[in-house]
Amino acid sequence: MHETSPARGRSLIRGRVLLGAGLLALTAGALGAPAGAAAASGPSPRPSGVHERIVDGEVVTEEKPWIASIGGEGHRCTATIIAERWALTAAHCVGPGDTPFLRIGSLDRTQGGFTAHGVRVIQHPDYNWPGYDAALIELDRDIETTYSPLAEADDVEQGQPAEVYGWGSERPDWGHPLPINLKYATGANIGTDCTPASPAVLCFGEGNGTTAGGDSGGPMRVQSRQTGEWVQAGISAVGPKPSGWWSGYTNIVEVRDWIRETAGV
């Protein structure tokens, strides 16, 4: 993540950064897996060196068949399975030509569940971090499981209950080691004003934890007040470092048509 970066878990967020593993540390950044970090004043096409994890929050004990770790033992980012051959993650986590390893449906990123490799990565055509920070990974085999249901416009509104998931750092400074077991935090969709982005990100906050490096690409799920069902409304994209009161998630509604056209779901 950048410091003005992609999303991560919630606990102590200051700055913005990408929430993936091995990304640079910025005031706000992408939430990839942790590594060395470097401050940045604006978006970056693909930050390197930041990973997210859930700071505070709780360990997941119930099955989440749609969750996936990109990298497994060498965790890089979090993802969700949305169809037999498709995983959804943040664009700053993967790029064209990548063939990432995924461990799917296991709460332990080092064993169990299903495994697959990506054969094609498709970033959103308008990706310019943190805007449109979404990517689809086409898998090398069919995964028969329960898929992550994606939100429609009527499902998303400010103030609704929300939860976020990931294998990101448990430390506000995004440091290692990363957790072996999947973690989550509960809170709320607090609106779209936590950080500058175009289109606006969904903001997670007011919860019992927050994101950090390694959480990038993971889901923000909300409880629809239309149906009462839990659906995926966001993709972890940006957050402050050290972790703080907010985490920013790519709004699924903004990329929903592209997902349909590309993955057929």
Side-chain angles (χ1 to χ4, degrees), residues 171-184:
R171 295 171 46 171
D173 65 0
W174 299 11
H176 282 279
L178 300 182
I180 298 298
N181 296 311
L182 181 66
K183 295 192 69 179
Y184 77 110

Side-chain angles (χ1 to χ4, degrees), residues 6 50-51 53 66 111 124 132 136 145 154 164 174 182 188 202 206 217 242 245 255:
V50 178
H51 289 229
R53 81 176 174 188
W66 34 260
Q111 61 183 349
H124 192 282
Y132 293 107
L136 288 161
T145 188
D154 289 346
V164 296
W174 299 11
L182 181 66
L202 294 180
E206 299 180 354
W245 61 270
V255 297

Side-chain angles (χ1 to χ4, degrees), residues 12 27 43 70 86 104 159 200 204 208 223 242 256:
L12 309 165
T27 298
I70 300 177
W86 294 96
I104 299 161
F204 172 84
N208 65 350
Q223 187 174 26
R256 193 70 187 87

